[in-house]
Amino acid sequence: MKPKAYLVGGGIGSLAAAAFMIRDGGMLGEDISIRGALPLMGGSLDGAGHAEGGYSLRGGRMLTTDNYECTWDLFKSIPSVNNPGKSVYEETVEFNEQHKSHALARLVDCRRAKVPVSSMGFSMRDRIELLKLSRTDEAALGSSCITDWLSSEFFDTEFWVMWATTFAFQPWHSAVEFKRYLHRFLLEFSRIETLAGVKRTIYNQYDSMVLPLQTWLQAQGVHLIADCRVTDLDSKTEDGKFIATGLHCLQHYDNEVIAVNDGDFVFLQNGSMTDASSLGSMTSAPAKLEKEDSGSWTLWEKLATGRPQFGNPATFNSSIAQSCWESFTVTLKNPAFFEQMQQFSGNEAGTGGLVTFKDSNWLMSIVLAHQPHFLNQPADAQVFWGYALFPDRVGNFVPKPMTDCNGAEILQELCGQLHFDLEVIKTANCIPCRMPYITSMFMPRSLGDRPLPVPANSKNFAFVSQFVEIPEDTVFTVEYSVRAAQMAVYELLGITRGVPAVTPHDKSLHAEFEALVKAFK
Ligand SMILES: Cc1cc2nc3c(=O)[nH]c(=O)nc-3n(C[C@H](O)[C@H](O)[C@H](O)COP(=O)(O)OP(=O)(O)OC[C@H]3O[C@@H](n4cnc5c(N)ncnc54)[C@H](O)[C@@H]3O)c2cc1C
């Protein structure tokens, strides 16, 4: 009998795994099904709405072509939906050649002055501590935090503000992950103030990545089943091997048990950075949800109980105070805001990247993407995205924590930071989004807290997510999920084509030299 594959979770990790099974494993699409709890496929890689009711994206993603080896390996095979004859990779590279990132207003201070950032602001002690951390091996770093290695002054440097807001790090996050970022993104070190290494997709990542991939999978016959939660997994152990034998599914109040036969495969998306996320509106703050209100951790928690090889979800989902932040998407029907912002920053929309208000209590940043940012966006609408790393603090212009603010209050705070008249956002629609687990992947961890994509004793079961252990690679990236998918599929299906290696930019003498020069400026 031909093997079937069951993928649990509708994120880019599952979509990528299905594509690798077809392209490299020779499986038929009709033998693959993806069950996702959300109404749409794509998981955290979302983007939806319309000009009238307002657009919403939980995230605006930065990609690179210097890294993201598995992502581009995949998207070289996926046709664009808008540019016939081109792959998603080709259209993205072409777009970035025409729209190069070169931020001219990366940091803005409370006087609305652009902060000169050609120096990283390091003291000699900062440099020594940073070098020491970047050279300490992961075993010695253990489950320590970044603050265990770097003195408090380090967190006031321009480097930290730019690095932390580019990648969403907090001082209490994992020292191991911070070290991995320093190595993986060494090329960004010397261009962090202009974000010149950042590559963008033409539209938001739902329209530019998820949609083409989903269209291709559907054309191959893959079954995409939305609004379906897998609540339990049946299993047996044979010769010491864990074998998944059944899936318990809940769709629209209907329970179904699906038998997983000998030779079939099961892939689980364990955990999600956008679990329990909620949207607000111009008049209401987002609801404060927790994991009990959602469900992306539940199956992993069940499976990991008594099975140390399946990791430890509690390491990642036990402290909302350390993993929460909030984003917002603004839809405008009046070009005044974009015009003033472009004039102030010196960047045309799509060329500047993040503008961070470094003295703002919320540590707020905004990005003006190239317009239109949505496939269905009319020419007279503009959309931009922003976020804040400290939504629990009272604002500078709104006397409330961001998490208690509606969209109108967030716009008031933004205009205060920019010293723009409220008139420019009079007809704007701001949709806030609270994400209690958004940096859960960055929580300090020990080896073993994340399972391997294919755990040592597994015969037909794999994990595909941000919460698996992959040497050298960095979480909070599309790449990590696609790499996990490629590794899991190749191992379970016995595919001999190699998974693209993590590019060793940190081993290049030139790159290391450049980074050192920057650090010592
Ligand atoms: C605000 C934000 C900014 C970001 N910025 C960047 C960036 O600049 N660059 C970059 O590369 N990446 C960025 N990312 C990260 C990137 O989007 C994610 O790493 C990636 O999309 C994660 O994909 P995934 O498939 O692993 O998980 P997810 O997208 O989280 O998907 C997992 C899905 O599985 C579902 N699920 C879990 N359990 C079950 C179950 N039992 N039954 C059914 N369904 C289940 C969940 O509902 C979830 O939708 C950002 C993400 C966000 C949210």
Side-chain angles (χ1 to χ4, degrees):
M1 223 164 53
K2 282 187 300 167
K4 288 190 185 309
Y6 301 93
L7 297 132
V8 181
I12 186 79
S14 280
L15 300 174
F20 287 127
M21 280 189 269
I22 296 167
R23 189 191 74 179
D24 303 330
M27 280 183 72
L28 295 178
E30 65 191 37
D31 292 324
I32 301 171
S33 55
I34 303 180
R35 285 170 176 74
L38 301 182
L40 291 177
M41 293 290 143
S44 302
L45 218 51
D46 67 328
H50 43 79
E52 296 317 316
Y55 290 100
S56 166
L57 340 123
R58 282 180 288 211
R61 283 113 198 148
M62 296 169 285
L63 312 171
T64 80
T65 41
D66 295 311
N67 306 90
Y68 286 58
E69 302 82 1
C70 300
T71 306
W72 300 126
D73 178 43
L74 170 66
F75 280 100
K76 278 176 186 168
S77 310
I78 304 301
S80 151
V81 283
N82 298 305
N83 290 306
K86 291 205 171 112
S87 67
V88 171
Y89 171 74
E90 285 165 338
E91 70 168 12
T92 309
V93 167
E94 213 167 84
F95 173 77
N96 280 281
E97 273 159 14
Q98 289 156 8
H99 305 275
K100 291 191 193 301
S101 298
H102 191 88
L104 298 170
R106 180 66 190 85
L107 299 184
V108 174
D109 71 13
C110 57
R111 291 174 289 269
R112 206 182 89 124
K114 293 173 208 162
V115 178
V117 280
S118 54
S119 153
M120 296 287 122
F122 291 141
S123 68
M124 189 52 74
R125 182 164 74 175
D126 296 330
R127 292 177 186 122
I128 291 166
E129 287 178 351
L130 196 60
L131 281 175
K132 189 170 167 213
L133 166 54
S134 75
R135 283 164 188 246
T136 304
D137 65 36
E138 292 194 5
L141 292 172
S143 62
S144 61
C145 310
I146 305 170
T147 45
D148 293 331
W149 295 85
L150 300 168
S151 306
S152 59
E153 294 77 18
F154 174 84
F155 299 96
D156 296 326
T157 61
E158 277 79 22
F159 171 80
W160 171 255
V161 180
M162 288 189 284
W163 195 266
T165 52
T166 302
F167 298 117
F169 269 104
Q170 297 279 17
W172 51 81
H173 283 151
S174 159
V176 166
E177 194 59 32
F178 183 63
K179 177 201 161 169
R180 284 194 186 197
Y181 260 77
L182 292 174
H183 284 260
R184 182 79 157 124
F185 293 109
L186 193 78
L187 291 182
E188 306 324 313
F189 203 93
S190 57
R191 55 194 186 195
I192 192 73
E193 76 276 24
T194 60
L195 295 169
V198 168
K199 301 288 184 287
R200 308 258 175 201
T201 51
I202 300 178
Y203 300 103
N204 67 83
Q205 293 71 50
Y206 181 83
D207 286 340
S208 286
M209 298 181 97
V210 173
L211 209 54
L213 183 50
Q214 173 175 312
T215 305
W216 185 83
L217 292 173
Q218 279 169 323
Q220 311 298 312
V222 174
H223 306 278
L224 302 177
I225 305 157
D227 283 318
C228 178
R229 180 166 297 288
V230 176
T231 53
D232 212 347
L233 188 88
D234 294 330
S235 65
K236 64 181 180 185
T237 307
E238 260 177 29
D239 301 329
K241 292 268 186 195
F242 176 91
I243 305 172
T245 57
L247 298 178
H248 293 242
C249 307
L250 177 65
Q251 191 182 21
H252 306 306
Y253 304 104
D254 289 334
N255 284 299
E256 187 192 5
V257 181
I258 298 169
V260 176
N261 297 316
D262 267 3
D264 293 347
F265 307 106
V266 175
F267 298 82
L268 170 66
Q269 298 224 264
N270 53 313
S272 172
M273 64 178 75
T274 50
D275 186 60
S277 59
S278 54
L279 299 181
S281 70
M282 277 297 275
T283 52
S284 61
K288 295 196 171 79
L289 305 183
E290 303 195 355
K291 67 184 168 115
E292 288 70 26
D293 303 304
S294 200
S296 301
W297 303 99
T298 319
L299 190 50
W300 185 21
E301 286 174 336
K302 266 189 197 172
L303 291 170
T305 305
R307 295 190 184 97
Q309 74 279 16
F310 285 179
N312 181 17
T315 299
F316 305 100
N317 66 18
S318 298
S319 177
I320 290 178
Q322 292 175 53
S323 66
C324 180
W325 49 254
E326 212 173 289
S327 66
F328 53 96
T329 311
V330 183
T331 306
L332 301 146
K333 286 283 204 75
N334 172 348
F337 182 88
F338 265 59
E339 282 166 8
Q340 287 200 27
M341 195 58 207
Q342 291 181 140
Q343 196 183 16
F344 165 66
S345 67
N347 278 116
E348 263 199 38
T351 64
L354 288 167
V355 174
T356 294
F357 305 102
K358 80 176 224 343
D359 299 324
S360 63
N361 290 350
W362 295 350
L363 194 51
M364 193 187 219
S365 304
I366 59 169
V367 189
L368 268 54
H370 177 76
Q371 303 293 304
H373 196 44
F374 284 81
L375 267 174
N376 67 349
Q377 186 180 326
D380 64 348
Q382 308 85 37
V383 182
F384 72 92
W385 179 85
Y387 88 107
L389 272 175
F390 295 111
D392 50 346
R393 294 184 184 166
V394 168
N396 303 87
F397 297 89
V398 178
K400 277 183 182 182
M402 185 188 192
T403 43
D404 292 344
C405 287
N406 59 32
E409 290 161 331
I410 291 172
L411 287 176
Q412 187 182 331
E413 176 72 25
L414 176 61
C415 280
Q417 296 296 338
L418 278 166
H419 298 270
F420 281 2
D421 290 327
L422 287 174
E423 190 64 25
V424 296
I425 41 104
K426 207 168 136 202
T427 55
N429 184 358
C430 172
I431 301 185
C433 176
R434 177 180 180 266
M435 295 175 284
Y437 300 104
I438 184 66
T439 55
S440 50
M441 313 78 65
F442 283 169
M443 292 298 284
R445 58 177 190 256
S446 303
L447 193 65
D449 285 337
R450 307 188 296 184
L452 295 173
V454 181
N457 62 348
S458 167
K459 187 162 176 202
N460 70 342
F461 176 70
F463 293 103
V464 172
S465 73
Q466 295 282 306
F467 303 90
V468 292
E469 186 59 43
I470 299 175
E472 298 179 278
D473 210 354
T474 47
V475 288
F476 214 151
T477 59
V478 171
E479 173 66 10
Y480 204 81
S481 302
V482 177
R483 180 173 291 280
Q486 199 165 10
M487 289 172 71
V489 166
Y490 282 20
E491 189 173 339
L492 278 190
L493 272 66
I495 297 169
T496 49
R497 181 178 185 264
V499 174
V502 167
T503 312
H505 293 302
D506 55 337
K507 310 286 185 310
S508 134
L509 271 180
H510 175 70
E512 190 160 16
F513 177 73
E514 288 264 302
L516 279 174
V517 167
K518 195 84 196 179
F520 278 84
K521 258 174 126 180

